[in-house]
Structures are given as C-alpha cells and as structure tokens.
Amino acid sequence: MIAHRTLSGRRTTSTMAARADGATVAPPHPTCAQAAPVLVAGAGPVGLATAAWLAEYGVPVRVVDAAPLPSPNSRAFAVWRRTLASLSPLVPPAAWRAAPGAHDVSHVTMLNAGRVIASVPLDGDADGPGHALPTGLLLSQAQSERLLEGALSRRGVAVERGVRLASFKEVAGGGVECVLE
C-alpha cells in the first residue's frame, strides 16, 4: 500500500501492481490519464526515462529529437546502482547487465603516465550484503539509450527523429504552443 496526495491535496492510498515482467509499480493515478499531453524534446537518457515514466503512469507523451538517428557516441560511461534501481520498473536489471559491452564495476584504478597511482575498491555491500544490483555498470550511453528507447516503445511511444522543437510559448488558458520543424 502506498500513500500519495491527489492534485487537490487530498491524501489517498493505492496498492502496488505487478506487471508481466515482474516489476512492481504503483498503478496509474486516476488524474494522470486526464493530464495534458507532454512534449519531451531530446531522446537522450533523461528524456527517454522521463517519457517512459510518464507513459508508465498513463500521461500522454510525445518525444522528438532533432537528430535523424540515435548517436553512436557516448557522453557517459557508467550507470550506478541507484539509477539502476530507480529505472528497474522500466528496464529490468538483467537487461542492463545483458547489454553488449556491460561490465560490473568493482574498483577504480587511477593512472598517471601509465603508472598506477591508486586503486580503490568500490564497496559493493554498502546497501547490505548480497545486493541484487552491481555498485555500478560500465555501459555506453548509446546502449543505455537503446534500453530506455525499448522501454518507451513497449509503452506504445516512438521517438520522432529528425524533428526539432523550434520554439514554444505559453498561451491563454494555461497551455503551451510548440513549433516543431
């Protein structure tokens, strides 16, 4: 049972729901299905995860990205335990570990001119012995984006590539007008 507040501030409770893949998530909040559609501009890890969570809770979402294809280049190299845990309802931990090029992080070694100056073991048991998730996972950002885009796709949302958010402005009545190119 989880407690949450409605948009009006009233306190309510709801039970957790189990999905077919075994993940346990809160059921969609009744007001989410009536939420205004959300436009996510950018299909990087943050945009994809945000859109997947919105779709998970029944919020209408559209994702656009100016690039015609996903980038093969990475600007990140690791996914840490807390991130894996928070994303596990969207992408099960086994999928992260099975991704091509994924490696558990057990220690960090620092080099200077090719010489080891320090090697630090990462405390894999800081969250309790035998934690199901690795402390960290070396994984390219491109692989992370593939996993998150798959999660989004399973929720019925496709990334619209080659579409750019050119401008937006607030309109009367509380809406936003977006210009896409």
Side-chain angles (χ1 to χ4, degrees):
M1 192 71 94
I2 52 172
H4 53 88
R5 295 202 179 272
T6 64
L7 294 177
S8 65
R10 189 172 46 94
R11 185 175 164 80
T12 65
T13 59
S14 59
T15 57
M16 298 296 278
R19 290 201 327 250
D21 63 8
T24 305
V25 296
H29 192 280
T31 58
C32 288
Q34 300 162 358
V38 174
L39 175 67
V40 175
V46 173
L48 292 168
T50 299
W53 274 116
L54 288 166
E56 178 75 15
Y57 283 90
V59 175
V61 63
R62 180 177 180 186
V63 182
V64 298
D65 194 275
L69 297 168
S71 174
N73 303 319
S74 290
R75 291 151 308 282
F77 66 91
V79 182
W80 299 104
R81 178 180 289 161
R82 298 278 189 236
T83 302
L84 291 169
S86 68
L87 294 175
S88 66
L90 302 174
V91 179
W96 291 99
R97 285 184 131 156
H103 298 282
D104 287 5
V105 177
S106 60
H107 66 278
V108 174
T109 300
M110 293 168 254
L111 305 170
N112 183 8
R115 196 181 105 240
V116 174
I117 57 172
S119 186
V120 180
L122 297 176
D123 186 3
D125 289 335
D127 294 319
H131 198 286
L133 297 173
T135 300
L137 196 62
L138 291 180
L139 185 66
S140 74
Q141 182 173 331
Q143 286 294 340
S144 295
E145 288 174 3
R146 281 187 197 97
L147 290 167
L148 291 166
E149 191 165 349
L152 188 60
S153 176
R154 287 187 297 280
R155 286 156 180 81
V157 180
V159 174
E160 298 174 49
R161 300 221 176 255
V163 178
R164 182 177 80 85
L165 174 61
S167 66
F168 64 93
K169 66 179 179 181
E170 189 173 356
V171 294
V176 176
E177 181 180 279
C178 299
V179 176
L180 302 176
E181 298 178 335

